[in-house]
């Protein structure tokens, strides 16, 4: 404590002001402070479902929580992570002060002013020597939109940084590109009510029971006894509850969708009037899919012809068919075209824009949707384009900055930033709210590359993440519950997060860290109006004017809070505030001619094929509902820790286990061309012979994965690489 006090006393005036933050233990701008022992509500900070949680306060500070019954998302339910959201904040692993690596490689606590001096001096000198492109950032889908926007503006407009990307590249990039090309804007069209209104629900590469348990609860509330078709190589928990499970060969999704499209066309099971009125490219698409005969499709997918025809018939007979996809599609070497294959099925059968329908990408992180609109990485604020001069001028006007400070070119995507480090082009990296030394593909190379940086800054809640341990400078950040802002959930619903806890030690909200950096960098004037998250919300709101995501009708946090979240779009003048809205009910899309596009391409073979040395295909993904990604948060809760296996395990089919000579629970080595990792064997028929599965939550897993990427979205293909399994000696 005395160390903290000393550090505090040495800080400059702005730092001191920020460390005090608006109303210590208070709740900033959000009107929930009336009674110190009140209950307030906010949205969960883990997954993109965006459940509402009631936070119970004692003396103005959160002591407990329960799921909100009145919130339109979760209707009184929460998963184990949501319940444990407050617990994970209390941990000895929290970063309580900035840390600087000394010449012996040990990280030592420092005060914020010294941290700022190091940050500014090191990054500026790298930029001076190697040009502005030599410093880059990697951010996240887990900070409030206001913080993402501050980072994007500070780095790109204030600090002259040219390249910044997010962990959303690992996650949502494929869906973004698929939607932009097909619809003319990145716009997931649905509302969660659609789960309850469909009579056919098609889930592709999406394990709702584990990854989005509350969305699954919404499916369970569906009163129409829906057909549930799960398309997943594994018999997942979700597949076990399906009426049809199609255990296709990994990455054969587009072939399957083209085959089903061909059957629909041959039988005349299409909605010709919708196709004529609202789409382009159907004739070309029909000609293309004619080649996807039963023989071809069954050979590639491993499914029977009966399977294909039954799916096609179920889709035809459905009155309200919804198509949902997640990482089984997005994380693929040809993910964009696979996602569009699914979009095509919705378009050709007219299953879009009506209740219970849609081509629906489910997002992952609590604010992945916010990062898509407001992170200023791949696109300019509000769904604008860096390369468009009018867009740059519009945004410059709103932010009251010179248009010339806005880069006219796009940033490099994540994997090219990593390559840039390898080639010595990028020498300084600022990593925020993500843990690439665990989550990026092909870890052995990734760590080696991060090691080559002249200066690595990591801004995180915890000081011991795999990436933070490599950092030259750690900036100690507040987490969910310790700051305010807004998240956008999977169904485009904006929800509020509030400060209901004080961050430990000298940890500051990311927002205030950005204010501090702006001040020390010398660009504080540019952000003179960016004092509170709600100030920034007001600016972002203006940036959306006239866009498909227009939210100029929202007054501010109070209204969002009272309404139970508000879905975009909500333009000024919008009448009333409907609790639920879906897109495209008028059959008009965002391309200039108002039509959606059929997009397709010849499927390509897997980048890393199996051979006799590496005979198994490794699939990776979520393991349990109580584990979150690299586990920095979920491992802090004793309750959550009890709900998942502590050490890495590999699921293997009993038939393969026999051929390898391993029994249940024995240790094995899983070996790819890139690495060898030890794991416990879990024998299960849930994985098919020839495939094995490992959850991504264990750090070892990405030492095996093969770095291949979708050519359009640059998203890594985490879910297929060749491995062999051997008994551990
Ligand atoms: N508990 C928990 N929940 C989470 C998360 C978490 O870490 N923990 N993370 C959140 C995030 S960021 C995300 S992105 C989502 C991810 O949510 P999901 O995408 O549902 O989860 P995954 O397990 O990554 O992948 C889903 C399924 O894809 C299947 N799959 C693999 N290859 C193929 C293929 O070629 N085709 C098809 N059709 N399927 C395939 C896998 O077998 C797996 O069951 O979850 C979110 N929710
Ligand atoms: N093999 C394999 N790898 C995968 C995947 C897969 O399916 N298979 N899935 C990929 C996907 S979809 C995703 S989304 C990524 C996720 O990968 P990551 O983003 O690397 O995973 P997280 O553990 O969520 O990392 C978030 C970090 O931010 C910190 N943090 C949390 N809140 C805050 C905050 O408010 N401020 C700051 N500054 N820090 C905070 C946490 O402590 C943690 O270190 O993993 C990808 N990697
Ligand atoms: S389902 Fe997602 S948003 Fe809901 S409580 Fe669980 S982690 Fe939080
Ligand atoms: Mo994700």
């Amino acid at each position: 404590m005395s160390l903290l006090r000393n550090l505090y006393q040495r800080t400059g005036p702005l730092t001191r002001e920020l460390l005090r933050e608006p109303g210590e233990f208070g709740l900033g701008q959000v009107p929930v402070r009336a009674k110190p022992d009140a209950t307030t509500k906010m949205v969960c900070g883990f997954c993109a479902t965006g459940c509402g949680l009631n936070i119970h306060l004692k003396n103005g500070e959160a002591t407990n929580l329960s799921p909100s019954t009145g919130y339109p998302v979760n209707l009184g339910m929460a998963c184990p992570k949501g319940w444990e959201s407050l617990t994970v904040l209390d941990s000895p692993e929290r970063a309580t002060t900035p840390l600087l690596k000394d010449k012996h490689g040990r990280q030592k606590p420092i005060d914020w002013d010294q941290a700022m001096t190091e940050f500014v001096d090191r990054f500026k000198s790298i930029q001076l020597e190697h040009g502005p492109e030599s410093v880059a950032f990697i951010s996240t889908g887990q900070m409030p939109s206001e913080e993402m926007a501050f980072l994007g503006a500070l780095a790109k407009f204030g600090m002259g940084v040219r390249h910044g990307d997010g962990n959303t590249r690992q996650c949502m990039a494929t869906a973004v590109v698929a939607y932009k090309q097909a619809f003319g804007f990145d716009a997931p069209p649905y509302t969660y009510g659609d789960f309850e209104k469909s009579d056919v629900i098609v889930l592709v590469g999406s394990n709702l029971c584990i990854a989005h348990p509350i969305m699954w609860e919404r499916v369970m509330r569906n009163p129409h006894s829906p057909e549930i078709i799960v398309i997943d190589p594994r018999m997942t928990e979700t597949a076990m509850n399906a009426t049809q499970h199609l255990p296709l060969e990994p990455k054969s999704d587009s072939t399957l969708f083209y085959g089903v499209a061909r059957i629909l066309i041959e039988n005349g099971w299409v909605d010709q009037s919708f196709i004529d009125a609202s789409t382009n490219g159907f004739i070309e698409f029909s000609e293309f899919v004619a080649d996807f005969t039963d023989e071809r499709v069954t050979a590639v997918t491993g499914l029977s012809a009966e399977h294909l025809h039954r799916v096609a018939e179920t889709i035809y007979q459905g009155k309200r068919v919804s198509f949902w996809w997640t990482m089984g599609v997005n994380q693929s070497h040809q993910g964009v075209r696979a996602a569009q294959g699914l979009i095509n099925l919705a378009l050709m059968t007219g299953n879009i824009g009506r209740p219970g329908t849609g081509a629906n990408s489910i997002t992952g992180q609590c604010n992945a949707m916010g990062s898509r609109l407001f992170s200023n990485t791949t696109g300019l604020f509000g769904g604008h384009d860096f390369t468009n001069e009018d867009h740059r001028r519009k945004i410059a006007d709103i932010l009251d900055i010179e248009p010339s400070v806005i880069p006219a070119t796009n940033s490099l995507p994540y994997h090219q930033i990593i390559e840039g480090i390898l080639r010595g082009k990028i020498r300084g990296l600022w990593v925020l709210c993500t843990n690439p030394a665990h989550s990026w593909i092909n870890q052995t190379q990734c760590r080696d590359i991060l090691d080559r940086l002249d200066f690595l800054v990591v801004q995180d809640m915890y000081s011991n993440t795999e990436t933070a341990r490599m950092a030259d400078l750690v900036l100690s950040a507040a987490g969910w519950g310790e700051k305010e802002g807004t998240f956008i959930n999977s169904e485009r619903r904006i929800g509020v997060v509030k400060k209901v806890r004080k961050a430990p030690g000298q940890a500051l909200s990311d927002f205030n860290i950005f204010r501090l950096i702006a001040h020390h960098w010398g660009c504080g004037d540019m952000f003179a109006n960016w004092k509170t998250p709600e100030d920034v919300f007001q600016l972002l709101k203006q940036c959306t004017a006239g866009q498909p995501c227009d939210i100029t009708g929202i007054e501010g946090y109070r209204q969002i809070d009272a309404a139970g979240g508000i879905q975009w779009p909500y333009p000024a003048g919008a009448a009333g505030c409907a609790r639920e809205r879906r897109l495209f009910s008028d059959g008009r899309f965002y391309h200039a001619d108002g039509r959606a596009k059929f997009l397709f391409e010849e499927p390509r073979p897997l980048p890393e094929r199996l051979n006799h040395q590496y005979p198994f295909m490794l699939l990776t993904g979520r393991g349990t509902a109580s584990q979150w990604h690299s586990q920095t948060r979920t491992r802090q809760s004793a309750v959550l820790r009890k709900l998942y296996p502590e050490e890495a395990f590999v699921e293997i089919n009993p038939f393969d286990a026999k051929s390898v000579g391993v029994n249940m629970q024995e240790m094995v080595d899983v070996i790819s061309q890139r690495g060898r990792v030890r794991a416990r064997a879990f024998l299960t028929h849930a994985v098919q012979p020839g495939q094995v599965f490992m959850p991504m939550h264990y750090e070892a897993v990405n030492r095996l994965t093969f770095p291949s990427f979708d050519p359009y979205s640059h998203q890594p293909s985490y879910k297929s690489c060749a491995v062999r399994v051997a008994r551990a000696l």
Side-chain angles (χ1 to χ4, degrees), residues 51-52 67-78 196 214 217-218 221 579:
C51 296
S68 310
T69 45
Y71 203 69
V73 167
N74 50 319
L75 315 170
M77 301 175 278
E196 296 171 16
I214 303 306
E217 292 296 332
R218 298 291 300 259
R221 286 166 47 99
R579 263 162 94 80

Side-chain angles (χ1 to χ4, degrees), residues 140 142-144 147 167 170-171 327 331 365 432-436 439-440 459-462 465 477-480 483 510 620-622 628-633 696 701-702 705 718-719:
T140 188
Q142 294 177 58
M143 293 189 317
E147 294 187 336
N167 65 1
Q170 300 163 310
C171 182
M327 291 307 121
Q331 293 171 345
Q365 305 170 82
L432 310 94
C433 198
T434 183
N435 189 6
S439 60
W440 186 244
Q459 187 164 317
D460 204 286
M461 291 170 65
Y462 302 98
T465 73
W480 171 95
K483 56 184 180 181
D510 294 286
T620 67
R622 275 73 199 156
W628 181 256
H629 295 162
S630 71
Q631 300 241 62
T632 64
R633 284 198 273 170
M696 61 154 308
V701 172
N702 277 322
T705 45
Y718 284 109
K719 287 175 166 36

Side-chain angles (χ1 to χ4, degrees), residues 26-34 40-41 484-485 496-499 534 557-558 561:
L27 301 157
Q29 314 301 304
V30 184
V32 290
R33 215 175 354 172
T40 184
K41 61 179 191 311
E484 46 182 56
V496 184
V497 288
K498 300 172 186 173
K499 184 179 176 190
E534 193 155 10
Y557 289 176
R558 255 172 225 266
D561 202 33

Side-chain angles (χ1 to χ4, degrees), residues 44 46-47 49-51 78-79 81-82 213-214:
C44 177
F46 284 102
C47 90
T49 308
C51 296
C79 84
K81 295 183 298 303
I214 303 306

Side-chain angles (χ1 to χ4, degrees), residues 558-571:
R558 255 172 225 266
Q559 187 197 7
I560 301 172
D561 202 33
I566 299 178
Q567 285 174 291
W568 69 252
Y570 193 70

Side-chain angles (χ1 to χ4, degrees), residues 47-48 81 142 170-172 203-208 210-213 231-234 236 248-253 325-329 331-332 362-365 619-630 693 696-697 719-720:
C47 90
K81 295 183 298 303
Q142 294 177 58
Q170 300 163 310
C171 182
M172 300 320 309
L203 291 164
V204 188
S206 178
N207 190 5
L208 281 194
I210 295 298
H212 299 93
I231 300 175
D232 193 310
R234 295 189 304 136
T236 58
L248 79 178
E249 282 297 316
K251 310 297 155 271
S252 66
D253 302 74
W325 82 87
T326 319
M327 291 307 121
V329 172
Q331 293 171 345
S332 155
I362 299 173
T363 48
Q365 305 170 82
L619 306 175
T620 67
R622 275 73 199 156
T624 67
S626 43
Q627 283 165 295
W628 181 256
H629 295 162
S630 71
F693 173 79
M696 61 154 308
H697 313 295
K719 287 175 166 36
S720 73

